[in-house]
């Protein structure tokens, strides 16, 4: 049986923490930043965690 392939887009977007949770970046931080407030941009900088409901789906894409 062949090896399972990791989804290339997912491997760029998600990372695992030490405890096995899935880290993600916030959306809306890539362009059209002039109309967003400093506070809004600052809060989007921090990493978030993938919700428990979606965690298994993301891990499958990562080949876990």
């Amino acid at each position: 049986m062949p090896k399972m392939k990791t989804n290339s887009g997912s491997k760029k977007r998600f990372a695992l923490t030490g405890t096995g949770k899935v880290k993600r970046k916030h959306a809306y931080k890539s362009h059209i930043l002039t109309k967003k407030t400093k506070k809004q941009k600052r809060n989007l900088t921090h990493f978030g965690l993938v919700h428990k409901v979606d965690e298994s789906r993301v891990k499958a894409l990562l080949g876990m």
Side-chain angles (χ1 to χ4, degrees):
M1 196 160 131
K3 287 185 189 177
M4 189 135 151
K5 286 197 172 181
T6 302
N7 184 287
S8 296
S10 299
K11 111 180 126 180
K12 294 168 195 169
R13 286 176 172 84
F14 301 107
L16 286 176
T17 63
T19 55
K21 292 175 184 169
V22 186
K23 270 196 309 188
R24 64 171 177 84
K25 276 191 172 178
H26 283 280
Y28 308 111
K29 186 75 197 314
S30 57
H31 62 103
I32 315 175
L33 298 171
T34 50
K35 53 177 86 167
K36 293 178 183 127
T37 62
K38 285 180 199 155
K39 183 179 180 179
Q40 197 175 359
K41 289 184 277 194
R42 187 172 62 244
N43 288 336
L44 290 172
T45 301
H46 309 297
F47 281 93
L49 292 174
V50 172
H51 197 273
K52 281 229 180 247
V53 176
D54 301 316
E55 210 168 83
S56 58
R57 195 182 319 158
V58 173
K59 282 185 177 179
L61 289 169
L62 293 172
M64 314 247 130

